[in-house]
Amino acid sequence: MNVALTLSTANLKKTKAREAVLEYISHAKTPISIQDVENAPMIKSLKIDQATLYRIIHILLDNHIIRQVDLHEGKFRYELAALPHHHHIVCTKCGIVKDISDCLDPKAKQSIEKETGFSITTHALEFFGLCSSCRIFLEK
Amino acid sequence: MNVALTLSTANLKKTKAREAVLEYISHAKTPISIQDVENAPMIKSLKIDQATLYRIIHILLDNHIIRQVDLHEGKFRYELAALPHHHHIVCTKCGIVKDISDCLDPKAKQSIEKETGFSITTHALEFFGLCSSCRIFLEK
DNA sequence: CTTGATGCAAACCGTTTGCAGATAG
DNA sequence: CTATCTGCAAACGGTTTGCATCAAG
C-alpha cells in the first residue's frame, strides 16, 4: 500500500506520525493494538505521544482506512480496512491470532433479520482455542 | 433457579451479597454489566462495594455459574451459564440486545480446526445493526 | 475459632480530553 | 498565514489489588 497516497486521497495532512503508523499497520500480519504500535521500534524512535497515536487511529477509522477488531482482550486491535472480510481465531494460551477465511452462511443474516426485526450492518465471529504448539506443550 | 442451592452446590459461602447478585443475574433478560448490577435497586439497597461485585462475578465465573459476554462495548457482560448456547444482536444506536438462536454450521468448526491446526474450545458471534424502532426513527 | 468474604482506598490499564505550542499546506 | 496536528498532563471508565475488619461455617 502507498501510505502517502492513501493519506492524500483521504485529504489528510501527511505527517511523520501518520505515515509511520499507517506504514506499521499495513505491514502487520495480524490485527495490532495501540500498545503494539507504540512498542514498534519504527514508532518508538519518533517519540510519538500516546494521545497522538489514539488520535491517528481514530482518523484512520473515520476515513475507513483501517477497521477495529475486538478479540475480547479488553482492548481493541486494528487492521487495514482494505483486507477482504474475514474472521479470527485466538490461542487462549499464547495469544497468537490467525485469520479465518470461512464465514457465515449468507442465508443466516437474512433469517436473523427476519427473526429479530433488526437490519444488520456488521457481524463479528471469533474462535478461541489452543494453537498446535500450545496444545502439544500442554499434553506433555 | 435456586440461588441458595446453586451456591451451596458449588461449595460457596452463602452471603447476602452473593445471593443478591446471582438473584439479579438469574432474572435478567439480557446479559448484564457490572454497572447494571450496581444500579439495580435490589443491590443498591445492600450497599455492596464495587470491588466486592467484581470479586463475586469472578467467583461465579470460576465456578461456571455465569459466563462472560463481550459485545464490543469496552466492558464485559455476564449471563447464566445454564442458558443454552446462543449469540447476540446489538442495536448500535440504542444498545438493546437480543438473543439469537441461530448458530454456525457445525461443519465450520471442523474445517477451521483442520485449516488452522487449532483445537477450538469456544466461539463468539455478534451481530450489529439497527433495531426496528431505531430504524423507523432514523427514516423519518 | 478459623477461613474466607467484605469495605475502603489506592492503583491499574486502555482510552479520552483540554490546552498551548508546533507544523503542513 | 491559518487550520489542524502534536505533546503534555490530567482525567476518564472499567477493573484489580492490599489490607484490616467482619461474618459464615
Side-chain angles (χ1 to χ4, degrees), chain A:
Chain A
M1 123 179 261
N2 184 329
V3 165
L5 180 62
T6 303
L7 290 174
S8 66
T9 303
N11 285 313
L12 296 175
K13 281 189 184 173
K14 188 178 77 118
T15 70
K16 280 263 175 300
R18 290 174 179 185
E19 289 184 294
V21 171
L22 192 47
E23 192 72 47
Y24 176 69
I25 297 179
S26 69
H27 288 100
K29 283 151 233 72
T30 48
I32 50 79
S33 64
I34 292 281
Q35 293 70 39
D36 293 330
V37 178
E38 4 178 14
N39 292 327
M42 181 181 165
I43 305 283
K44 243 181 186 158
S45 64
L46 291 177
K47 296 200 199 313
I48 306 171
D49 193 80
Q50 225 188 359
T52 302
L53 293 179
Y54 278 99
R55 283 188 273 232
I56 290 174
I57 290 291
H58 281 294
I59 286 191
L60 297 178
L61 281 173
D62 292 346
N63 288 87
H64 305 101
I65 296 170
I66 61 175
R67 69 169 80 107
Q68 215 170 39
V69 174
D70 189 327
L71 301 179
H72 302 196
E73 303 164 297
K75 68 182 172 191
F76 294 111
R77 291 180 178 239
Y78 306 91
E79 65 183 11
L80 285 185
L83 296 175
H85 176 74
H86 64 280
H87 299 291
H88 301 98
I89 184 164
V90 184
C91 178
T92 47
K93 182 155 184 290
C94 72
I96 196 176
V97 178
K98 274 196 184 180
D99 288 358
I100 302 278
S101 48
D102 253 288
C103 191
L104 292 183
D105 184 336
K107 274 184 287 183
K109 184 189 169 197
Q110 291 163 41
S111 86
I112 291 166
E113 290 188 320
K114 204 168 178 184
E115 176 188 348
T116 61
F118 277 57
S119 58
I120 296 174
T121 50
T122 357
H123 67 273
L125 173 59
E126 306 94 21
F127 293 88
F128 303 92
L130 289 175
C131 70
S132 45
S133 327
C134 287
R135 198 172 56 251
I136 289 163
F137 188 74
L138 287 180
E139 275 167 5
K140 281 186 187 163

Side-chain angles (χ1 to χ4, degrees), chain B residues 8-134:
Chain B
S8 65
T9 303
N11 286 313
L12 296 176
K13 282 190 186 173
K14 188 179 78 119
T15 70
K16 280 259 174 302
R18 288 175 180 185
E19 289 183 295
V21 171
L22 193 46
E23 193 71 47
Y24 176 70
I25 297 180
S26 69
H27 289 100
K29 284 152 232 72
T30 48
I32 51 79
S33 65
I34 292 279
Q35 294 70 40
D36 294 330
V37 178
E38 6 178 14
N39 292 326
M42 179 181 168
I43 305 282
K44 243 182 187 158
S45 63
L46 291 176
K47 297 199 199 312
I48 307 171
D49 194 81
Q50 225 189 203
T52 303
L53 293 179
Y54 277 101
R55 282 188 273 231
I56 290 174
I57 290 290
H58 281 294
I59 285 191
L60 297 177
L61 281 173
D62 292 347
N63 288 86
H64 306 100
I65 296 170
I66 62 175
R67 69 168 80 107
Q68 213 171 41
V69 175
D70 189 327
L71 301 179
H72 302 196
E73 303 165 298
K75 67 183 172 190
F76 293 111
R77 292 180 178 237
Y78 306 90
E79 65 184 9
L80 286 184
L83 296 174
H85 176 74
H86 64 280
H87 298 290
H88 301 99
I89 183 164
V90 184
C91 177
T92 48
K93 182 154 182 292
C94 71
I96 196 177
V97 178
K98 275 196 183 180
D99 287 357
I100 302 278
S101 48
D102 253 288
C103 190
L104 292 184
D105 186 335
K107 274 184 289 182
K109 184 189 169 198
Q110 291 162 38
S111 85
I112 291 166
E113 290 188 320
K114 203 166 177 184
E115 177 187 347
T116 61
F118 277 57
S119 57
I120 296 175
T121 50
T122 357
H123 68 273
L125 173 58
E126 305 94 22
F127 293 88
F128 303 92
L130 289 174
C131 71
S132 45
S133 327
C134 287

